[in-house]
Amino acid sequence: METLLFLFPQFNYMAPKEEAYFKMFGPEDLQAPKMKDDTSRQKDKERKSRLSLFLTKSGSHENVSPHKKTNTTSSNISPEAALQWSDSFEELLKHSDGLESFSQFLRTEFSEENIEFWLACEEYKTIDSETKLLSKAKYIYTVYIESEAPKEVNIDYNTKMAIQKVIEQPTKSCFEAAQMKVYSLMKKDSYPRFLNSDIYMRLTRRKGPGTTMFRRRSRSCVFNDRGEATTEPSAW
């Protein structure tokens, strides 16, 4: 009966739990559970690593680009600054907040691979090392260009084949044609929708909780009894 109490100290209300286990297990026995815990933790790490790799290769829209901020607070962006982004697509991309806001909009349309590819190409053109250039080129091709790539961008067959032919000996301009096509697509298609989106409207304070929209008032000209012209405000 004593042995049972030592094996299951929770049934022995008079004996401390730690003391009971010390009497049942020697130092060499205590090593086994520790090794088992270490093995279990190692397996958990490997499982998490595989999951992370799977999410990256699957092209999940929850992935975060290295160029994206994790948390952008629109309260830090003034309406005046946001309004400048409507001048041109080039003006939008010049500002880090504009770039992030546009990326956020593209994520809502499940097309953030376009801006990520464009940014990757911009970074690619700054690389001087031939070794790094080859490594980056293969990464861009694998992630964005080849058929069934996790974040495949929408480019034509001939442009894709031209990149495939030179990918083993890439030049700094090998992605230029593809980058221009994706840039044009964003400028003509996504950018106008962004300017009319809730995201942009909130930034410019033209739409949002507690925001009141006022229309401009015109002034009409009327004549009094003496024939003098006067102005009278009227709302429209």
Side-chain angles (χ1 to χ4, degrees):
M1 191 62 185
E2 286 184 31
T3 303
L4 180 61
L5 289 174
F6 285 135
L7 284 171
F8 304 100
Q10 62 269 32
F11 295 114
N12 185 359
Y13 298 100
M14 300 299 294
K17 184 176 181 180
E18 295 81 359
E19 180 182 349
Y21 272 96
F22 262 112
K23 290 180 180 179
M24 292 303 302
F25 299 105
E28 66 281 356
D29 296 319
L30 293 173
Q31 286 292 94
K34 184 179 184 301
M35 293 177 63
K36 185 176 181 181
D37 289 341
D38 291 342
T39 303
S40 178
R41 282 193 293 269
Q42 182 63 28
K43 288 182 178 179
D44 287 340
K45 288 181 181 179
E46 292 174 356
R47 185 167 59 251
K48 290 178 181 178
S49 178
R50 289 196 299 270
L51 177 59
S52 176
L53 182 63
F54 169 77
L55 289 175
T56 300
K57 291 188 174 182
S58 67
S60 168
H61 293 288
E62 297 301 321
N63 290 342
V64 178
S65 164
H67 303 279
K68 292 187 291 192
K69 303 172 187 176
T70 53
N71 287 308
T72 299
T73 54
S74 58
S75 59
N76 294 332
I77 305 173
S78 68
E80 293 75 18
L83 283 171
Q84 293 180 10
W85 307 342
S86 63
D87 292 344
S88 67
F89 187 50
E90 293 76 12
E91 187 69 25
L92 170 71
L93 297 182
K94 286 180 183 177
H95 297 82
S96 58
D97 288 329
L99 183 60
E100 166 58 21
S101 299
F102 183 62
S103 299
Q104 182 184 354
F105 167 73
L106 292 182
R107 287 196 291 275
T108 66
E109 294 199 334
F110 300 97
S111 60
E112 71 270 23
E113 68 276 1
N114 291 327
I115 192 65
E116 290 178 10
F117 170 70
W118 184 82
L119 288 168
C121 291
E122 288 293 288
E123 181 183 354
Y124 173 79
K125 290 185 289 187
T126 66
I127 298 175
D128 294 324
S129 167
E130 290 187 6
T131 303
K132 292 182 178 179
L133 198 72
L134 176 60
S135 175
K136 185 68 173 180
K138 288 187 175 181
Y139 170 80
I140 293 175
Y141 178 77
T142 302
V143 175
Y144 300 103
I145 302 297
E146 69 177 352
S147 299
E148 305 301 324
K151 295 187 177 184
E152 185 179 0
V153 292
N154 185 17
I155 58 175
D156 61 275
Y157 176 80
N158 291 333
T159 302
K160 184 177 295 188
M161 289 300 102
I163 296 173
Q164 184 179 346
K165 289 178 182 178
V166 299
I167 197 61
E168 294 300 328
Q169 293 181 323
T171 63
K172 282 194 175 183
S173 61
C174 66
F175 294 110
E176 196 169 280
Q179 185 185 16
M180 288 302 298
K181 291 179 185 296
V182 171
Y183 180 88
S184 179
L185 177 66
M186 291 190 295
K187 181 177 181 178
K188 295 179 180 179
D189 186 48
S190 303
Y191 175 60
R193 289 202 304 276
F194 167 72
L195 295 180
N196 290 304
S197 68
D198 288 344
I199 291 175
Y200 186 66
M201 291 296 182
R202 284 195 296 269
L203 291 173
T204 56
R205 306 286 172 83
R206 288 184 290 177
K207 186 175 182 180
T211 302
T212 304
M213 300 290 288
F214 291 99
R215 303 196 66 174
R216 300 181 65 181
R217 297 170 66 87
S218 66
R219 302 178 71 85
S220 59
C221 181
V222 297
F223 293 89
N224 58 22
D225 294 339
R226 291 175 297 195
E228 298 172 341
T230 61
T231 56
E232 179 178 311
S234 60
W236 54 278

